[in-house]
Amino acid sequence: MTKPSVPVGIICSQSGPYQAMGREILKSAMMAVDEINTQTEFDFSIAPHVRDPRGIVSEYHTVCDDLIRNVGVAHIIGCYTSASRKQVLPIVERTDRLLWYPARYEGFECSDNVIYVGASPNHNVLPLVRYVLDNLSREIFCVGSNYVWTWETNRVTRELVSAADGHILAERLLELGESAVGHIVDEIVRRKPPIVFNTLVGSSSYDFIRAFHAGTKAAGLEIPMLSCSLCEPELAIVGPASAGCITSSAYFESIRLPENRAFVARWKARYGEDSSPSVDGQSAYVAVYLLARALQRAGSSDIAEVRRAAAGYRYNSPQGPVWIDGGNNHCVLTPRLAVSNPQGQFDIFWEADAPVKPDPYLTQLDVAVSPSRETSAGGALPNAPHLRVVK
């Protein structure tokens, strides 16, 4: 007997300045779809309808409109940048559809028509900046892409740093896809900041990391770089220059959980032994499973029923336990910090001892708490009981 199919839209750019990450999201989403369609657990199959906005911001609205009007989808998975999500948001709200957004983002948004599967700022920006303040420096040089993710991430960073009596030395922004990074590297070499926080996206980030590595190495400088987005497929794109970047993320391929080992094994069997899943791709995989199980529990594609069925349901995903906070439609995730190594992987050195509730508006943040902690000789966080060292 043939199962009924549920049409689901998948929006991800497979060309343009961040095509590599769009392709990773598509690969993970399709892997989950194929798995679900072969499992007896589900009494339906998912019919994916893929659209490629080519990294053009206005195209996201166009393809979303096409999926809703002409295909009749109620659920859409995808978008990578916050600029693309902002394009899709009005149409899913007006037509009462549900966007399952996989990427980590800057926060300060909440919609009944979006399930935020990626990290909120309290999952990635806060642990990263607090680690830097406690262990490395209170002065940060910021370089990023000129759009809402960088603006808001830098604003949060500035508040935390200012509360610690530190300051942001500079904020240098480039347009998405811009490759002229030499002047910023020259400034970094001249000013010798103790830390560089990189929120560039896609090809701009790859160009910058290579130029930064070459410039600082030639000048005999060792300046740590921070990131909230760098992932394993990007380490492979950048090459050896990517080693040593301190990254905050809910997912790394090196997570030592049985669910992740099985996920990575299936991934490599499908896409090749030399390939690696990305954090946002893994979130797309999680999004498909969260949607499928909510559809199964609801027995319907109806948005309100699926949303109710999805809230609070615990899924033991590759990154660990994940569930949706029904109060704000964001996911409960486990924050982690890692440093990239020359083998193109991340060595995890901190993770929260339990999944952390999403706080997209940072209403639980007390900036006065963070700056008082001082560096221990071993580089640990002695006053951070919510974090533990991972060996």
Side-chain angles (χ1 to χ4, degrees):
M1 179 177 176
T2 303
K3 295 179 180 179
S5 67
V6 177
V8 172
I10 299 177
I11 300 177
C12 49
S13 289
Q14 298 153 64
S15 55
Y18 48 85
Q19 58 181 286
M21 293 302 97
R23 290 171 179 169
E24 294 299 330
I25 288 173
L26 178 60
K27 288 160 66 178
S28 293
M30 291 306 300
M31 181 172 152
V33 167
D34 290 346
E35 289 179 1
I36 288 164
N37 286 348
T38 62
Q39 294 176 13
T40 57
E41 173 186 354
F42 302 99
D43 57 16
F44 59 87
S45 64
I46 292 176
H49 295 266
V50 180
R51 295 294 184 273
D52 175 12
R54 298 171 293 156
I56 302 170
V57 174
S58 61
E59 280 294 303
Y60 283 87
H61 184 280
T62 301
V63 299
C64 183
D65 182 69
D66 170 57
L67 285 167
I68 293 171
R69 288 177 183 271
N70 301 321
V71 181
V73 304
H75 299 274
I76 298 167
I77 292 170
C79 297
Y80 174 64
T81 64
S82 290
S84 64
R85 189 190 67 258
K86 296 288 188 185
Q87 284 287 313
V88 168
L89 187 57
I91 192 169
V92 296
E93 289 186 335
R94 187 174 69 249
T95 59
D96 195 24
R97 265 53 174 189
L98 202 52
L99 171 68
W100 298 72
Y101 180 62
R104 69 281 169 289
Y105 88 117
E106 70 283 349
F108 301 95
E109 181 183 297
C110 189
S111 170
D112 285 343
N113 295 94
V114 180
I115 301 294
Y116 302 84
V117 183
S120 301
N122 68 305
H123 291 134
N124 56 12
V125 181
L126 262 60
L128 182 66
V129 175
R130 282 180 163 164
Y131 167 76
V132 170
L133 293 174
D134 286 347
N135 295 273
L136 298 175
S137 174
R138 298 183 180 185
E139 295 183 333
I140 300 177
F141 186 108
C142 297
V143 54
S145 294
N146 188 20
Y147 80 122
V148 62
W149 180 54
T150 291
W151 302 337
E152 289 297 293
T153 299
N154 283 358
R155 183 175 65 82
V156 172
T157 300
R158 187 184 308 111
E159 289 191 18
L160 291 167
V161 172
S162 298
D165 295 327
H167 62 283
I168 302 299
L169 296 173
E171 292 183 75
R172 300 292 178 256
L173 304 182
L174 297 173
E175 297 305 314
L176 284 169
E178 176 61 61
S179 61
V181 298
H183 64 291
I184 299 178
V185 173
D186 290 343
E187 181 180 358
I188 290 171
V189 169
R190 184 177 71 256
R191 296 180 63 175
K192 301 178 178 59
I195 295 289
V196 169
F197 189 7
N198 173 14
T199 52
L200 290 164
V201 171
S203 58
S204 297
S205 182
Y206 314 150
D207 292 335
F208 173 75
I209 294 172
R210 293 190 193 99
F212 171 82
H213 179 264
T216 53
K217 183 178 180 181
L221 301 174
E222 292 188 5
I223 302 175
M225 180 183 294
L226 313 176
S227 174
C228 284
S229 62
L230 196 66
C231 59
E232 290 85 348
E234 292 179 307
L235 299 183
I237 293 171
V238 174
S242 65
C245 183
I246 300 169
T247 301
S248 180
S249 178
Y251 178 79
F252 295 104
E253 184 181 344
S254 53
I255 290 174
R256 296 179 180 177
L257 290 174
E259 291 85 359
N260 188 48
R261 290 194 181 102
F263 168 72
V264 172
R266 293 195 303 276
W267 173 278
K268 290 182 180 295
R270 182 180 177 113
Y271 295 116
E273 193 62 31
D274 293 335
S275 66
S276 293
S278 69
V279 54
D280 300 308
Q282 187 266 172
S283 284
Y285 180 90
V286 172
V288 176
Y289 266 94
L290 289 174
L291 167 60
R293 288 181 172 157
L295 288 168
Q296 183 72 25
R297 287 158 60 88
S300 165
S301 294
D302 179 80
I303 296 302
E305 293 184 27
V306 169
R307 193 165 44 224
R308 279 194 293 272
Y313 178 78
R314 179 176 171 130
Y315 167 43
N316 289 323
S317 77
Q319 65 179 278
V322 171
W323 64 94
I324 299 166
D325 185 331
N328 56 31
N329 284 351
H330 289 65
C331 277
V332 180
L333 307 173
T334 302
R336 296 179 172 91
L337 299 176
V339 60
S340 54
N341 62 39
Q343 290 73 46
Q345 289 292 318
F346 285 97
D347 298 323
I348 302 171
F349 59 92
W350 293 344
E351 69 178 24
D353 56 10
V356 174
K357 284 175 62 69
D359 185 16
Y361 288 89
L362 297 178
T363 57
Q364 304 302 311
L365 171 63
D366 181 357
V367 295
V369 170
S370 61
S372 61
R373 296 175 294 181
E374 298 297 337
T375 303
S376 70
L381 285 172
N383 297 320
H386 61 293
L387 294 176
R388 65 183 173 86
V389 175
V390 177
K391 296 180 179 177

